[in-house]
Amino acid sequence: MEEYFKPQPIKRPFLSKGVIILLILAANGIIWSILRFGFGLGAVTNLNNQFPWGIWIGLDVAAGVALAAGGFTTSALVHIFYREDFHVLVRPAIMTAMLGYTFVGLGVMFDLGRYYNIWHVPIMGNSNSVLFEVGICVMTYLATLYVEFFPIVNERFIGRVHLKGILKFLNKPIDGFLRFADSFLGKTMFFFIILGVVLSCLHQSSLGTLMLIAGKKVHPLWQTPISPLLFLLSAFSVGFPMVIMESLTASRSLGLKPEMDVLRKLARFIGPILSVYLAFKLGDMVIRGTYVYLNEINLQTIMWVIEILFGVIIPLRMFFWDKVLHSRTLLYIASLLVIFGVALNRFNVFIIAYKPPYILQQYWPSIGEISVTVGFIAIEILLYRALVMIFPVISVPLKGVSAKAKYAIRGVIQ
Amino acid sequence: MSQSRRSFLKAMGTVSLTAVGAKESKATPKNVVSDDRLGVLVDTTVCIGCRQCEYACKVEHGLPAGNIDDYSDRSVFETMRRPDHTALTVVNEYPAENSRQQSVTVKVQCMHCDHPACVSACIVGAFTKQENGAVIWDEGRCIGCRYCMVACPFQIPAFEFDKTIQPRIMKCDFCYETRTSKGLPTACVEACPTEALTFGKRYELIQIAHERIRKNPERYIDHVFGEHEVGGTSWLYLGGQEFLRLGFPDVGTNPAPGATEPIQHAIFKFFVPPVALYALLGGIMWLGKQSSEEEE
């Protein structure tokens, strides 16, 4: 098969106006992080005994996991369902998932009161606990993502490890290790790819089981026994929009031509998947009769309507419209709406819907909580930018690439 | 193209079936508790709101208790209070709906459920239900995730948000270490001057409670709160009016873990669903590889 596109490290200056803003936001987040670990959760967050979980769980963790779904959906599409035509999207998707899950892990560490006991989870785990399953799956999947990313590291550094000075003696062993890892992963990568998809299905759905135990504390609009299924379907729905959004953002920011043909083909999957999600969501509502709650106008019902209308129904219609698929701007907006809808769903389930029986003090995220969340996102974007400049992640047309860079590496999943 | 889309939908269907099938199966919670497990019967028609139990509890658990004379100040009843990291039990006052009582005072603490949500939820098993009925927290295991607080239907566990290092989950421990594991009554029961609190075996307390209702039907409503709520609790309450109007939550009689454990157990029963999904995806991948090699 003739390859037109080849992943290449992108050559651009790292700094730009946007990057400077992101650096400021990141620095602000880091300052608040120091306060959180120096003075405790109470000093930085507005969490209290009525609202034990805030946006660090609702957004950083729950929405973070959902929005990292681009990784497993794309790798399933390309590697398991053998759609080679989407190959150029795999590397960015895997890398974003890797970054996303890294920050999910960090978000958990920030939120845990006794973060230094995190190693208790694998050894003392309680198999009845939904959280235990989510925790173990996320940990394992994070490791799997690093393994899936490793061929890219190999491709970048095999034969090019040039450490200077006293570290010089390490050059040979490191190169040897990379070559060994390359040949090992070349033979076993299929195992990790399937494992990644299975683990994702498990914890994406279990994230939806998490709030079931809270029973009547969660508003009936969201408290449904099929919540795990809804979470899984919405994770499927948001995977491809994330890939499209990232691809369009990155090509704009890095001055590349977006791969509109591939993205358009990918976008055609989104409508049907979103329809299935919407059908289950509304079907569940009809069966349980929860539409009666929409008669009241309160924070919960307004948020529910926003979630369904702007997050599902409007983008669903858009993705079935040819004009949207052919317009870069409209495709971008439609993808952003799906992302917004799923992120808002997680936020709603974990924060808005949670109404404990006794409220002495309402919860509203503090400046510190928002700063850390924004800082995480900023650092994530900065790392994305840095990594695509270091590693061959984003595919660019082969034309204009110097002949020296053309090489084939055994074992890289192509 | 159509081939792979069909298989994709097929896989999605399988996953959905797995998830839907999960909620059909029933929970099988392990019951470690003894039939002779202990409990406390609270008679809210006898309680006078002296808050001696609050004082005794703080002293017993080494929490700052202040001056005992301050506990007779009834102005604290003006706002509803909840047990938290500074007080594992509190007494609240509610307007009485009958002429016999001026107001009703209700002691609140952990109910020590027979099927505790916190025990089921805890990621590291830091919560355990003891044979004698107590639900206790193990400081050595806790990672501070606060899922117990999300799970508890009575909204009991509290967290020391202000502590930087070793923050604790704070809740009534039924004086397990110091008293009830030795068969002794809890500190609050011992402190109660009006015998509003009765310590004993749970099944005997239920008999006593129904006996009291039978003898004084005009004094009590015919309901022992905690006998069936969330599958039964070690602490039981008698009241002269609807418990919802005494600050009790509307919890129903199904144990909270019944909502999640069947799903968890269905997904992880001998790891069949994950392994089946793995095999299915592996099969699809293999088939795809075969056909793509044929094309070449």
Side-chain angles (χ1 to χ4, degrees):
Chain A
M1 200 166 59
E2 192 66 37
E3 282 234 340
Y4 241 113
F5 289 89
K6 182 103 194 144
Q8 291 290 318
I10 307 294
K11 292 202 170 47
R12 291 270 291 190
F14 184 75
L15 281 181
S16 75
K17 249 187 229 155
V19 168
I20 291 170
I21 296 172
L22 290 174
L23 283 171
I24 295 169
L25 292 174
N28 179 44
I30 290 169
I31 292 169
W32 284 100
S33 309
I34 295 168
L35 294 177
R36 181 261 171 267
F37 287 105
F39 299 98
L41 276 170
V44 170
T45 69
N46 278 348
L47 299 174
N48 56 47
N49 285 326
Q50 294 96 64
F51 294 92
W53 283 357
I55 58 167
W56 287 354
I57 294 293
L59 288 181
D60 297 16
V61 176
V65 165
L67 299 191
F72 88 93
T73 46
T74 312
S75 96
L77 179 70
V78 173
H79 294 312
I80 293 179
F81 296 102
Y82 263 89
R83 293 297 303 268
E84 292 290 334
D85 38 341
F86 295 110
H87 201 107
V88 292
L89 303 175
V90 175
R91 286 186 174 195
I94 290 291
M95 196 188 78
T96 329
M98 180 184 80
L99 283 176
Y101 272 91
T102 305
F103 280 85
V104 165
L106 276 176
V108 170
M109 293 299 276
F110 272 60
D111 194 71
L112 289 181
R114 299 163 166 241
Y115 48 89
Y116 40 82
N117 282 348
I118 186 76
W119 55 274
H120 288 182
V121 175
I123 61 164
M124 300 179 183
N126 162 22
S127 65
N128 283 334
S129 170
V130 183
L131 194 60
F132 170 64
E133 192 221 319
V134 173
I136 286 293
C137 280
V138 168
M139 284 180 183
T140 323
Y141 184 48
L142 182 57
T144 309
L145 280 169
Y146 282 114
V147 172
E148 286 184 39
F149 188 74
F150 212 73
I152 304 175
V153 178
N154 289 334
E155 184 176 320
R156 173 71 179 78
F157 284 116
I158 283 181
R160 303 181 193 189
V161 185
H162 299 302
L163 293 171
K164 301 243 155 56
I166 47 163
L167 293 174
K168 215 168 174 180
F169 73 97
L170 283 173
N171 283 344
K172 241 188 137 156
I174 291 178
D175 194 66
F177 169 74
L178 291 180
R179 282 172 199 276
F180 167 76
D182 187 43
S183 81
F184 174 75
L185 290 177
K187 289 176 201 133
T188 54
M189 188 50 87
F190 74 94
F191 170 79
F192 293 104
I193 286 170
I194 308 177
L195 182 67
V197 177
V198 172
L199 288 171
S200 292
C201 289
L202 285 176
H203 73 257
Q204 292 283 4
S205 57
S206 292
L207 215 50
T209 322
L210 217 48
M211 294 306 272
L212 289 186
I213 201 164
K216 293 185 179 177
K217 290 161 138 187
V218 175
H219 195 282
L221 280 175
W222 289 278
Q223 187 63 297
T224 158
I226 68 156
S227 180
L229 178 62
L230 293 178
F231 267 56
L232 185 62
L233 290 174
S234 53
F236 288 152
S237 315
V238 81
F240 296 153
M242 271 306 279
V243 172
I244 293 173
M245 187 277 285
E246 282 153 17
S247 177
L248 290 175
T249 311
S251 56
R252 193 184 169 86
S253 155
L254 300 169
L256 306 168
K257 206 166 161 289
E259 299 133 350
M260 275 304 281
D261 290 338
V262 184
L263 296 184
R264 191 177 309 127
K265 268 201 291 182
L266 190 67
R268 290 192 196 280
F269 289 112
I270 299 170
I273 305 175
L274 263 183
S275 316
V276 176
Y277 172 49
L278 183 67
F280 272 95
K281 189 125 181 146
L282 295 183
D284 167 64
M285 174 172 236
V286 171
I287 290 169
R288 290 186 307 119
T290 48
Y291 44 81
V292 296
Y293 294 98
L294 295 177
N295 280 329
E296 308 159 20
I297 293 183
N298 53 37
L299 179 66
Q300 280 76 22
T301 56
I302 292 171
M303 294 298 267
W304 191 89
V305 171
I306 295 176
E307 178 196 324
I308 291 298
L309 190 63
F310 292 96
V312 187
I313 294 175
I314 292 178
L316 170 63
R317 178 68 193 90
M318 287 177 84
F319 277 112
F320 278 119
W321 195 6
D322 257 4
K323 199 179 161 193
V324 171
L325 299 182
H326 285 90
S327 152
R328 204 192 294 185
T329 320
L330 287 176
L331 188 59
Y332 194 70
I333 292 173
S335 302
L336 274 182
L337 282 176
V338 178
I339 295 163
F340 164 78
V342 174
L344 182 64
N345 172 259
R346 303 304 192 257
F347 180 72
N348 282 345
V349 170
F350 284 87
I351 314 286
I352 299 291
Y354 188 75
K355 283 190 72 164
Y358 312 100
I359 299 175
L360 307 182
Q361 207 185 341
Q362 267 296 348
Y363 167 75
W364 184 256
S366 69
I367 308 238
E369 287 175 86
I370 297 170
S371 295
V372 169
T373 298
V374 171
F376 273 170
I377 298 169
I379 296 174
E380 235 172 297
I381 300 172
L382 290 172
L383 281 176
Y384 183 97
R385 193 175 167 92
L387 288 180
V388 299
M389 289 178 177
I390 298 170
F391 293 104
V393 173
I394 293 185
S395 294
V396 292
L398 261 187
K399 219 171 79 182
V401 173
S402 67
K404 236 168 70 186
K406 285 188 199 163
Y407 48 79
I409 290 226
R410 192 166 46 99
V412 177
I413 292 271
Q414 296 281 15
Chain B
M1 164 78 199
S2 66
Q3 179 62 46
S4 50
R5 179 184 285 174
R6 201 180 311 142
S7 7
F8 181 67
L9 292 174
K10 214 160 69 187
M12 258 178 44
T14 315
V15 172
S16 336
L17 281 178
T18 317
V20 172
K23 78 180 164 74
E24 309 291 341
S25 48
K26 282 275 167 282
T28 48
K30 242 190 320 189
N31 213 341
V32 296
V33 293
S34 139
D35 286 342
D36 286 340
R37 62 188 175 275
L38 301 167
V40 174
L41 175 65
V42 184
D43 191 333
T44 61
T45 67
V46 176
C47 177
I48 54 167
C50 65
R51 296 169 58 217
Q52 295 296 312
C53 50
E54 288 186 25
Y55 179 80
C57 176
K58 284 182 183 174
V59 171
E60 179 75 17
H61 293 91
L63 296 168
N67 191 338
I68 190 162
D69 296 331
D70 298 339
Y71 285 76
S72 55
D73 173 16
R74 292 184 80 91
S75 65
V76 294
F77 290 142
E78 282 160 21
T79 51
M80 183 184 67
R81 297 177 303 149
R82 293 290 304 163
D84 62 12
H85 52 285
T86 60
L88 309 184
T89 183
V90 294
V91 179
N92 281 312
E93 188 182 54
Y94 297 90
E97 292 170 2
N98 53 50
S99 48
R100 269 171 292 100
Q101 284 173 285
Q102 280 183 314
S103 59
V104 192
T105 41
V106 182
K107 177 185 185 299
V108 189
Q109 73 298 307
C110 172
M111 299 289 290
H112 298 277
C113 307
D114 283 349
H115 304 284
C118 52
V119 172
S120 169
C122 182
I123 182 169
V124 286
F127 278 100
T128 44
K129 178 79 175 167
Q130 299 299 316
E131 203 184 338
N132 77 353
V135 176
I136 57 170
W137 171 79
D138 177 357
E139 171 152 26
R141 286 178 167 241
C142 181
I143 65 169
C145 72
R146 310 187 297 286
Y147 190 34
C148 49
M149 298 168 72
V150 172
C152 177
F154 296 101
Q155 205 187 326
I156 290 299
F159 183 75
E160 293 180 311
F161 283 101
D162 294 326
K163 266 176 124 180
T164 311
I165 215 83
Q166 299 291 64
R168 286 173 297 172
I169 291 286
M170 302 292 280
K171 77 167 197 67
C172 161
D173 58 359
F174 206 47
C175 296
Y176 182 76
E177 289 295 327
T178 47
R179 291 161 177 268
T180 57
S181 60
K182 301 165 192 155
L184 300 170
T186 60
C188 50
V189 169
E190 216 169 71
C192 182
T194 61
E195 291 183 16
L197 308 178
T198 316
F199 178 81
K201 290 178 181 166
R202 184 177 183 271
Y203 72 91
E204 287 175 355
L205 294 175
I206 291 172
Q207 288 167 5
I208 294 170
H210 284 293
E211 188 75 9
R212 285 194 204 168
I213 294 172
R214 199 173 54 77
K215 283 188 179 152
N216 296 293
E218 72 292 338
R219 187 184 176 99
Y220 301 105
I221 60 156
D222 189 12
H223 181 179
V224 181
F225 189 95
E227 186 181 359
H228 301 297
E229 273 70 18
V230 293
T233 60
S234 292
W235 280 67
L236 303 157
Y237 284 79
L238 279 171
Q241 64 200 53
E242 275 303 319
F243 286 101
L244 287 180
R245 289 197 287 279
L246 290 176
F248 286 84
D250 175 20
V251 288
T253 53
N254 293 325
T260 49
E261 288 189 3
I263 297 179
Q264 283 308 98
H265 294 168
I267 292 177
F268 287 99
K269 193 119 202 206
F270 310 114
F271 282 91
V272 168
V275 171
L277 180 61
Y278 196 100
L280 177 78
L281 293 175
I284 294 170
M285 194 177 186
W286 187 77
L287 285 175
K289 195 171 182 222
Q290 300 301 308
S291 59
S292 82
E293 274 169 8
E294 270 168 35
E295 274 169 36
E296 280 162 23

